[in-house]
């Protein structure tokens, strides 16, 4: 049983109704509900009376440091068995962290702690790490993104990585850690038996100088499944340093995010060596990198290699044109492993979409999700896609948001969607505009096919 309320400003009467439920329910989520310090004493008291509570989520409420201290007091009870605590964007600073070491010592059941979007700073992070290092603390997932951290926070985090075998996921994206900070984290991982599974370092001010250390971590940590490095200026030089670690026989990486990393076709060539060799890699994002049509051809050739088992490719806004779609078409006709292809933000046009449809119309096509938002698709491209929807029975989701079709193109799609043989489950049309008659037709279509969702 749960209390699950989002985006509701709670009146005093409503609050009085909720307090007994907070005392009883296993999951309490009060997200963006206007809760401030004044109500934290009520929550603290209610938590002390609730031995069944396993999850508390108060994100996007202005609790402040004083509210945080009251809340932590409620978690100190001997019967508290909370497993997940989410306090993102609650106005917490270093002062709010002062009670964390004692609280973490009292909560051996806590497994997930989310503190992102709070200006904790390095001093607050040090206090948090003091608690994480306690033998009674067994946190497995730690999220401290957008917390005003610098390289100085990385030595305490490295100490946690060295000491705690329980920590499996570390999310520190969008902090100014820099190369020096990440080097310290990598040293911590290299000298530990930590079975870390996910490391998220997006937007951390990294350069090619970090990539050899990160590659060493990937090579040495067979447990590491997810590495997110998007929004860092790694460039082709950084990718070249990262790839030897990715190619290591011990690497079992499944997810690699490299969006907006200043990669060109040259860096794409190195990544393609990894794609061809590492069957463990299932998800790759190169979105926002100017790899161009040359990079697209390299990716498609690698996706046809026997050793490639990629299931999801995000290549949004990569500078692709219609010229590369013949390569995607040939790949999609033969690749039975790729299930999701994100091509939004590329100027493919109707000619490119027509090429894609040829490949997807082949009997062996297996793709389930195709995203073509903002690809300069007009009514002509909709006609090709409408025909595809009747011929292809693997595609479940199609995103055509922010394109150039009119009511004519939308109705062509609707005509195919209403056919019994069409198996599409979701059509996404954000930022697409049509007349009232067309809207009525789409709503009636959804009602007649309960398994279909049209999202706009």
């Amino acid at each position: 049983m749960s209390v699950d309320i989002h985006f509701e400003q709670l009146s005093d009467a409503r609050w009085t109704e909720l307090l007994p439920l907070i005392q009883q329910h296993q999951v309490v989520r009060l997200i963006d509900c206007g809760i401030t310090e004044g109500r934290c004493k009520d929550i603290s008291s209610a938590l002390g009376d609730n031995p069944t509570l396993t999850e508390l989520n108060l994100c996007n409420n202005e609790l402040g440091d004083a509210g945080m201290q009251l809340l932590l007091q409620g978690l100190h009870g001997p019967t508290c068995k909370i497993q997940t605590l989410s306090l993102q964007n609650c106005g917490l600073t270093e002062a709010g962290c002062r009670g964390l070491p004692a609280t973490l010592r009292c909560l051996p059941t806590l497994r997930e702690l989310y503190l992102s979007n709070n200006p904790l700073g390095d001093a607050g992070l040090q206090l948090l790490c003091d608690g994480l290092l306690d033998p009674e603390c067994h946190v497995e997932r730690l999220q401290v993104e957008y917390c005003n951290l610098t390289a100085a926070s990385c030595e305490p985090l490295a100490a946690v990585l060295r000491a705690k075998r329980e920590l499996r996921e570390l999310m520190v994206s969008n902090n100014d850690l820099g190369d020096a900070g990440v080097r310290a984290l990598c040293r911590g991982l290299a000298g530990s038996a930590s079975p870390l599974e996910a490391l998220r370092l997006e937007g951390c001010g990294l350069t090619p100088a970090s990539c050899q250390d990160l590659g060493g971590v990937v090579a040495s940590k067979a447990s590491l499944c997810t590495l997110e490095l998007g929004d860092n200026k790694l460039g082709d030089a950084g990718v070249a340093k990262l790839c030897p670690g990715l190619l290591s026989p011990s690497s079992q990486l499944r997810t690699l995010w490299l969006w907006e990393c200043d990669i060109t076709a040259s860096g794409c060539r190195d990544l393609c060596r990894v794609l061809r060799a590492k069957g463990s890699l299932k998800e790759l994002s190169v979105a926002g990198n100017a790899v161009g049509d040359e990079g697209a051809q390299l990716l498609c050739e690698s996706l046809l290699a026997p050793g490639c088992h990629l299931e999801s490719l995000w290549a949004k806004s990569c500078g692709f044109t219609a010229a590369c779609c013949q390569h995607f078409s040939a790949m999609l006709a033969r690749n039975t492993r790729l299930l999701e292809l994100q091509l939004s933000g590329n100027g493919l046009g109707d000619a490119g979409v027509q090429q894609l449809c040829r490949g997807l119309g082949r009997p062996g096509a297996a793709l389930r999700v195709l995203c073509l938002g903002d690809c300069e698709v007009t009514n002509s491209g909709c006609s090709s896609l409408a025909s595809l929807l009747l011929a292809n029975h693997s595609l479940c989701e199609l995103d055509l948001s922010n394109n150039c079709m009119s009511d004519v193109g939308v109705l062509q799609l609707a005509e195919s969607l209403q056919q019994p043989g069409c198996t599409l489950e979701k059509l996404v049309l954000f930022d697409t505009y049509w007349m009232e008659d067309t809207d009525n037709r789409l709503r009636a279509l959804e009602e007649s096919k309960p398994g279909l969702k049209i999202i706009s």
Side-chain angles (χ1 to χ4, degrees):
M1 298 175 67
S2 66
V3 177
D4 199 345
I5 301 173
H6 298 237
F7 316 118
E8 180 184 335
Q9 297 302 301
L10 304 173
S11 66
D12 289 343
R14 178 77 164 126
W15 186 244
T16 302
E17 290 175 9
L18 285 174
L19 281 175
L21 301 179
I22 296 172
Q23 292 173 336
Q24 301 166 14
H25 285 67
Q26 195 171 14
V27 174
V28 176
R29 300 188 188 107
L30 299 172
I31 299 170
D32 200 357
C33 288
I35 297 171
T36 59
E37 176 191 342
R39 285 179 172 168
C40 287
K41 187 173 183 180
D42 293 337
I43 297 174
S44 179
S45 176
L47 295 179
D49 295 332
N50 185 350
T52 66
L53 184 73
T54 59
E55 179 182 342
L56 177 63
N57 188 330
L58 296 176
C59 71
N60 298 328
N61 290 291
E62 194 62 33
L63 308 183
D65 295 326
M68 174 72 158
Q69 296 303 324
L70 290 168
L71 189 67
L72 294 180
Q73 289 171 19
L75 297 172
H76 276 227
T79 60
C80 184
K81 294 181 174 58
I82 192 169
Q83 297 174 15
T84 301
L85 180 60
S86 301
L87 298 171
Q88 300 102 315
N89 192 29
C90 286
L92 311 180
T93 71
E94 173 196 349
C97 294
R98 288 174 189 156
L100 276 174
T103 302
L104 292 174
R105 190 177 305 119
C106 295
L107 289 176
T109 57
L110 188 67
R111 295 294 180 267
E112 301 182 21
L113 180 58
Y114 302 97
L115 294 172
S116 291
N117 295 93
N118 290 296
L120 307 181
D122 296 326
L125 193 281
Q126 177 67 67
L127 290 166
L128 171 60
C129 288
D130 290 346
L132 292 169
L133 284 167
D134 192 279
E136 294 301 313
C137 178
H138 304 290
V139 168
E140 296 175 358
R141 302 183 73 189
L142 176 65
Q143 185 193 67
V144 283
E145 300 176 325
Y146 290 102
C147 284
N148 291 1
L149 309 181
T150 71
S153 286
C154 292
E155 286 295 352
L157 284 170
V160 172
L161 289 169
R162 278 191 290 267
K164 305 298 287 191
R165 289 187 58 86
E166 296 93 343
L167 193 62
R168 297 185 179 278
E169 186 168 353
L170 178 60
M171 297 166 270
V172 289
S173 294
N174 298 294
N175 289 293
D176 190 19
L177 307 183
D179 294 325
V182 168
R183 191 171 300 117
L185 286 179
C186 291
R187 284 198 302 267
L189 282 166
S192 78
S194 165
L196 197 72
E197 296 172 3
L199 180 59
R200 293 176 167 84
L201 294 166
E202 296 179 325
C204 286
L206 310 186
T207 73
S210 293
C211 291
Q212 189 166 343
D213 292 323
L214 288 166
V217 167
V218 174
S220 64
K221 288 288 176 190
S223 61
L224 193 66
C225 298
T226 299
L227 180 61
E228 298 186 4
L229 299 174
D231 193 25
N232 287 296
K233 305 303 180 187
L234 308 183
D236 296 335
V239 170
K241 291 180 179 181
L242 184 64
C243 283
L246 298 172
L247 286 165
S248 168
S250 57
S251 169
Q252 296 299 312
L253 204 69
R254 290 179 55 88
T255 300
L256 178 62
W257 289 135
L258 293 170
W259 55 273
E260 293 186 17
C261 285
D262 287 352
I263 301 169
T264 71
S266 175
C268 196
R269 191 180 300 277
D270 286 323
L271 286 173
C272 286
R273 289 171 47 226
V274 177
L275 278 178
R276 289 193 295 271
K278 298 300 291 188
S280 60
L281 191 63
K282 305 299 183 187
E283 300 179 21
L284 173 66
S285 174
V286 291
N289 291 293
V291 300
D293 291 337
E294 182 185 353
Q297 181 175 351
L298 292 167
L299 288 167
C300 290
E301 290 171 352
S302 299
L303 284 163
L304 287 173
C308 179
H309 294 181
L310 200 73
E311 296 174 0
S312 175
L313 174 63
W314 280 58
K316 181 179 180 179
S317 303
C318 284
F320 299 159
T321 71
C324 73
C325 289
Q326 60 179 319
H327 304 297
F328 277 111
S329 179
M331 180 272 295
L332 291 168
R334 294 168 52 197
N335 185 310
T336 59
R337 294 191 175 98
L338 191 70
L339 304 177
E340 179 180 18
L341 180 59
Q342 167 60 271
L343 293 175
S344 296
N346 291 293
L348 308 182
D350 295 330
V353 168
Q354 187 176 33
Q355 288 272 14
L356 293 177
C357 289
R358 286 198 188 109
L360 287 168
R362 298 292 293 273
L367 196 74
R368 295 176 60 83
V369 178
L370 176 62
C371 299
L372 296 172
D374 194 19
C375 282
E376 301 175 14
V377 182
T378 72
N379 294 338
S380 176
C382 286
S383 178
S384 301
L385 288 164
S387 298
L388 173 68
L389 292 179
L390 297 178
N392 178 293
H393 299 297
S394 67
L395 203 62
C396 296
E397 180 177 338
L398 176 62
D399 187 346
L400 292 172
S401 300
N402 195 29
N403 275 296
C404 311
M405 73 278 284
S406 68
D407 287 58
V408 172
V410 173
L411 288 172
Q412 286 177 315
L413 294 168
E415 184 67 30
S416 292
L417 288 170
Q418 73 179 9
Q419 301 304 314
C422 179
T423 56
L424 196 77
E425 297 172 5
K426 184 188 292 186
L427 176 63
V428 184
L429 293 170
F430 288 125
D431 296 319
T432 305
Y433 306 98
W434 48 72
M435 303 295 286
E436 185 177 354
D437 287 350
T438 301
D439 192 64
N440 292 337
R441 172 84 178 274
L442 294 175
R443 300 290 79 83
L445 176 58
E446 276 191 295
E447 290 178 11
S448 68
K449 293 188 77 170
L452 172 67
K453 297 295 180 187
I454 300 174
I455 301 173
S456 62

